[in-house]
Amino acid sequence: MVSRQRPARPYLAACSALSLAVLVGGLSTPAHAAESANTGEFISIPVGESTADTVKRVATRSAVLHVRTPADKKCTGVWKHAVSNVDYDRTPSGTLRWGFKLTARARAALGSVAAVSMPYAYVNDKAINPPYQLHRKLSTYNFHGSMNKYQRVGSSYRGVIATGNKVTFSWLIKGSNPRSGATRYITCKVPAKGSS
């Protein structure tokens, strides 16, 4: 029987990979369990692994976290975590802004320079072209950015964020210590314009 559902999305393939890992005992969390909207982890980067390979390695987790995490908190205020503290607000014109600051613990683990990128981002369960490019700065830098308009991955669809949209940003941090890295994920609901 041929399905007439939407074409497969990149995150669905990642979910399938996660389901397989759960079936073979690779993960201890049930596939249907809700994830934390505010998470991240320190990772070890194998000698010689390229940034592209590191991104591929964290891809499944990013997609799965978005699908499994409810957007029950608004993208406002400071979201604290051992990896970084992210400060969100939404301007009166509707732009969602953030400041991404590594914690003292992260700076100690990563070294004096950090390369922060956002390889994955999602709006309402659809992968979008990430609104943040690689920035290599001192690890004390405020890695800030913003988003108002977005484009879905592999599509000509362009949208404007709206109050109540579910948004997930997935950051990857590589440190000047050659084998150090971290990930950071936040899923939240776009607040009303002018929220801080």
Side-chain angles (χ1 to χ4, degrees):
M1 182 169 132
V2 176
S3 172
R4 296 199 180 272
Q5 295 177 338
R6 295 181 295 198
R9 303 284 185 218
Y11 64 83
L12 292 178
C15 289
S16 297
L18 176 73
S19 297
L20 178 61
V22 170
L23 287 174
V24 297
L27 297 174
S28 59
T29 305
H32 64 278
E35 294 282 351
S36 169
N38 183 29
T39 192
E41 58 200 345
F42 292 96
I43 60 173
S44 177
I45 299 173
V47 175
E49 182 176 75
S50 69
T51 299
D53 287 340
T54 305
V55 168
K56 286 178 192 175
R57 197 160 48 94
V58 300
T60 298
R61 181 131 171 88
S62 179
V64 168
L65 281 171
H66 178 74
V67 171
R68 290 172 34 182
T69 305
D72 53 4
K73 296 179 183 174
K74 293 181 182 175
C75 308
T76 58
V78 179
W79 292 60
K80 294 184 176 185
H81 187 272
V83 171
S84 71
N85 296 323
V86 180
D87 189 3
Y88 280 110
D89 70 25
R90 190 168 183 215
T91 67
S93 65
T95 299
L96 182 64
R97 301 184 302 190
W98 64 87
F100 180 99
K101 294 182 181 178
L102 294 169
T103 64
R105 178 179 169 194
R107 291 192 308 270
L110 296 165
S112 61
V113 175
V116 175
S117 62
M118 184 186 287
Y120 301 98
Y122 304 86
V123 174
N124 294 333
D125 299 329
K126 304 283 190 294
I128 65 166
N129 292 320
Y132 190 78
Q133 301 303 313
L134 175 70
H135 285 71
R136 185 172 278 107
K137 301 282 186 181
L138 292 176
S139 58
T140 55
Y141 182 74
N142 178 9
F143 295 90
H144 58 284
S146 65
M147 180 177 78
N148 190 326
K149 298 177 182 178
Y150 63 91
Q151 181 178 2
R152 288 184 186 155
V153 170
S155 169
S156 61
Y157 179 85
R158 295 179 185 274
V160 177
I161 59 167
T163 301
N165 284 165
K166 176 184 177 182
V167 175
T168 295
F169 292 144
S170 173
W171 289 275
L172 174 64
I173 308 103
K174 288 185 82 172
S176 53
N177 293 341
R179 298 186 62 198
S180 64
T183 58
R184 184 76 165 92
Y185 311 94
I186 297 180
T187 298
C188 53
K189 186 186 302 183
V190 175
K193 293 178 180 180
S195 298
S196 59

PDB file of all heavy atoms in Angstrom, residues 22 27 48-49 76 95 124 131 137 154 164 180:
ATOM      1  N   VAL A  22      16.985   2.179  20.502  1.00  0.00           N
ATOM      2  CA  VAL A  22      16.238   1.795  21.695  1.00  0.00           C
ATOM      3  C   VAL A  22      15.932   0.306  21.659  1.00  0.00           C
ATOM      4  O   VAL A  22      16.061  -0.402  22.652  1.00  0.00           O
ATOM      5  CB  VAL A  22      14.938   2.624  21.808  1.00  0.00           C
ATOM      6  CG1 VAL A  22      14.033   2.068  22.888  1.00  0.00           C
ATOM      7  CG2 VAL A  22      15.278   4.077  22.104  1.00  0.00           C
ATOM      8  N   LEU A  27      19.992   2.859  24.148  1.00  0.00           N
ATOM      9  CA  LEU A  27      19.624   3.988  24.987  1.00  0.00           C
ATOM     10  C   LEU A  27      18.730   3.487  26.109  1.00  0.00           C
ATOM     11  O   LEU A  27      17.942   2.561  25.927  1.00  0.00           O
ATOM     12  CB  LEU A  27      18.876   5.040  24.165  1.00  0.00           C
ATOM     13  CG  LEU A  27      19.666   5.680  23.027  1.00  0.00           C
ATOM     14  CD1 LEU A  27      18.756   6.586  22.223  1.00  0.00           C
ATOM     15  CD2 LEU A  27      20.830   6.477  23.568  1.00  0.00           C
ATOM     16  N   GLY A  48      41.160  13.640  15.065  1.00  0.00           N
ATOM     17  CA  GLY A  48      40.985  13.643  13.621  1.00  0.00           C
ATOM     18  C   GLY A  48      39.554  13.765  13.136  1.00  0.00           C
ATOM     19  O   GLY A  48      39.324  13.856  11.927  1.00  0.00           O
ATOM     20  N   GLU A  49      38.571  13.782  14.044  1.00  0.00           N
ATOM     21  CA  GLU A  49      37.184  13.907  13.590  1.00  0.00           C
ATOM     22  C   GLU A  49      36.934  15.328  13.090  1.00  0.00           C
ATOM     23  O   GLU A  49      37.206  16.306  13.777  1.00  0.00           O
ATOM     24  CB  GLU A  49      36.206  13.579  14.720  1.00  0.00           C
ATOM     25  CG  GLU A  49      34.752  13.658  14.271  1.00  0.00           C
ATOM     26  CD  GLU A  49      33.774  13.248  15.353  1.00  0.00           C
ATOM     27  OE1 GLU A  49      33.563  14.047  16.286  1.00  0.00           O
ATOM     28  OE2 GLU A  49      33.253  12.126  15.276  1.00  0.00           O
ATOM     29  N   THR A  76      11.688  33.142  26.795  1.00  0.00           N
ATOM     30  CA  THR A  76      11.948  34.412  27.463  1.00  0.00           C
ATOM     31  C   THR A  76      12.885  34.173  28.636  1.00  0.00           C
ATOM     32  O   THR A  76      12.976  33.059  29.156  1.00  0.00           O
ATOM     33  CB  THR A  76      10.651  35.062  28.007  1.00  0.00           C
ATOM     34  OG1 THR A  76      10.026  34.160  28.919  1.00  0.00           O
ATOM     35  CG2 THR A  76       9.690  35.420  26.895  1.00  0.00           C
ATOM     36  N   THR A  95      10.962  39.985  16.287  1.00  0.00           N
ATOM     37  CA  THR A  95      12.199  39.222  16.163  1.00  0.00           C
ATOM     38  C   THR A  95      12.529  38.527  17.481  1.00  0.00           C
ATOM     39  O   THR A  95      12.489  39.145  18.542  1.00  0.00           O
ATOM     40  CB  THR A  95      13.370  40.145  15.761  1.00  0.00           C
ATOM     41  OG1 THR A  95      13.063  40.725  14.488  1.00  0.00           O
ATOM     42  CG2 THR A  95      14.680  39.393  15.671  1.00  0.00           C
ATOM     43  N   ASN A 124       7.981  24.373  14.573  1.00  0.00           N
ATOM     44  CA  ASN A 124       6.770  23.550  14.462  1.00  0.00           C
ATOM     45  C   ASN A 124       7.033  22.196  13.802  1.00  0.00           C
ATOM     46  O   ASN A 124       6.344  21.805  12.848  1.00  0.00           O
ATOM     47  CB  ASN A 124       5.669  24.317  13.726  1.00  0.00           C
ATOM     48  CG  ASN A 124       5.194  25.517  14.505  1.00  0.00           C
ATOM     49  OD1 ASN A 124       5.269  25.555  15.722  1.00  0.00           O
ATOM     50  ND2 ASN A 124       4.721  26.524  13.805  1.00  0.00           N
ATOM     51  N   PRO A 131      19.369  29.775  11.807  1.00  0.00           N
ATOM     52  CA  PRO A 131      19.546  31.226  11.785  1.00  0.00           C
ATOM     53  C   PRO A 131      20.845  31.694  12.442  1.00  0.00           C
ATOM     54  O   PRO A 131      20.931  32.830  12.908  1.00  0.00           O
ATOM     55  CB  PRO A 131      18.329  31.726  12.562  1.00  0.00           C
ATOM     56  CG  PRO A 131      18.084  30.646  13.558  1.00  0.00           C
ATOM     57  CD  PRO A 131      18.422  29.363  12.851  1.00  0.00           C
ATOM     58  N   LYS A 137      35.231  32.616  18.498  1.00  0.00           N
ATOM     59  CA  LYS A 137      35.542  33.786  19.327  1.00  0.00           C
ATOM     60  C   LYS A 137      36.164  33.313  20.641  1.00  0.00           C
ATOM     61  O   LYS A 137      36.161  32.122  20.953  1.00  0.00           O
ATOM     62  CB  LYS A 137      34.269  34.571  19.652  1.00  0.00           C
ATOM     63  CG  LYS A 137      33.499  35.074  18.451  1.00  0.00           C
ATOM     64  CD  LYS A 137      34.130  36.300  17.861  1.00  0.00           C
ATOM     65  CE  LYS A 137      33.275  36.878  16.736  1.00  0.00           C
ATOM     66  NZ  LYS A 137      33.882  38.043  16.133  1.00  0.00           N
ATOM     67  N   GLY A 154      15.190  22.139   2.382  1.00  0.00           N
ATOM     68  CA  GLY A 154      14.742  21.393   1.211  1.00  0.00           C
ATOM     69  C   GLY A 154      13.428  21.860   0.632  1.00  0.00           C
ATOM     70  O   GLY A 154      12.756  21.115  -0.074  1.00  0.00           O
ATOM     71  N   GLY A 164       3.474  31.557  19.781  1.00  0.00           N
ATOM     72  CA  GLY A 164       3.015  30.196  19.980  1.00  0.00           C
ATOM     73  C   GLY A 164       3.752  29.151  19.161  1.00  0.00           C
ATOM     74  O   GLY A 164       3.591  27.955  19.404  1.00  0.00           O
ATOM     75  N   SER A 180      37.745  18.605  22.974  1.00  0.00           N
ATOM     76  CA  SER A 180      36.635  19.049  23.814  1.00  0.00           C
ATOM     77  C   SER A 180      35.507  19.635  22.975  1.00  0.00           C
ATOM     78  O   SER A 180      35.731  20.268  21.956  1.00  0.00           O
ATOM     79  CB  SER A 180      37.124  20.100  24.812  1.00  0.00           C
ATOM     80  OG  SER A 180      37.561  21.257  24.126  1.00  0.00           O
TER      81      SER A 180
END
